[in-house]
Amino acid sequence: MTTLGEAGPGAVNGPVSLGGDRLKHLEFLQAVITRLSNHSFLVKGWALTLAAGFFAVSSSQQSWQVAASGLVPLACFWFLDGLFLRQERLFRFLYDDVRRPEVEVENLSMNVGPYLGRISWFEATFSRTLQLFYGALLVADSALVAVNL
C-alpha cells in the first residue's frame, strides 16, 4: 500500500492509503485527463493559427467575405474545445471519487456516465476561459468584417 499523506478536513483520521488497483486507476484517469488537456491546447493553437491566417488574408485583400468565412472554423474549434473541456471535467469528477476511500467506484472503471448531469456541453463551451479566448478572436474577426464592408 502507498501512503499519500495526512488526511485533510472532512476526511477519515490518519494517513490515506491506496491499494495497488486504486492507485493504478488514478494513474489511468490522470493519463486521460492529461491527454484531453493536451488536445484542448492543440485545438487552441490551431484556432489561433487559422484565425491569424484569415486575419492576414482578409486585411491584405480588404475582403469582408474572407473575414466572414473565418468565423466558421473559429466556431467549430470553439465547440470542439468545449467538448474536450467537458470530457476533461467529467474525468476529473471520476478521479475525485476514486481518490476518496469512502466512495465506492467500480475497480478500473473509466465510465463517466454517472457524472454527465454535473456539467453540460453548453456550460463547458461557454465557460469563462473559453469565452475569453474564442470571444477575443470572434470580436477581432467581426471587426475585420465590419471594417471591410
Side-chain angles (χ1 to χ4, degrees):
M1 293 204 178
T2 304
T3 301
L4 291 180
E6 296 299 320
V12 180
N13 291 335
V16 177
S17 298
L18 297 175
D21 286 345
R22 198 169 195 117
L23 189 59
K24 188 52 95 173
H25 193 182
L26 289 172
E27 290 173 4
F28 288 158
L29 291 170
Q30 186 58 50
V32 170
I33 291 167
T34 301
R35 191 167 43 249
L36 287 168
S37 178
N38 287 338
H39 289 330
S40 180
F41 179 77
L42 289 173
V43 165
K44 283 181 183 71
W46 277 102
L48 188 59
T49 302
L50 197 59
F54 274 103
F55 295 166
V57 171
S58 67
S59 62
S60 70
Q61 293 182 358
Q62 296 184 350
S63 169
W64 70 268
Q65 294 94 342
V66 174
S69 64
L71 294 171
V72 174
L74 183 60
C76 292
F77 281 124
W78 189 348
F79 296 149
L80 182 62
D81 203 2
L83 178 71
F84 285 134
L85 181 60
R86 179 179 187 233
Q87 284 300 115
E88 180 184 337
R89 288 183 180 177
L90 291 172
F91 276 100
R92 286 180 186 270
F93 291 138
L94 178 58
Y95 183 96
D96 193 45
D97 279 352
V98 169
R99 74 173 181 80
R100 293 185 299 166
E102 68 272 5
V103 178
E104 284 296 318
V105 177
E106 183 182 347
N107 196 22
L108 301 176
S109 171
M110 302 297 269
N111 181 17
V112 294
Y115 310 100
L116 291 175
R118 288 193 185 180
I119 184 165
S120 69
W121 171 81
F122 185 84
E123 287 174 309
T125 301
F126 294 98
S127 67
R128 184 171 298 159
T129 55
L130 294 187
Q131 281 182 0
L132 288 173
F133 182 81
Y134 291 102
L137 293 176
L138 184 67
V139 167
D141 204 358
S142 299
L144 276 175
V145 170
V147 165
N148 291 322
L149 273 177

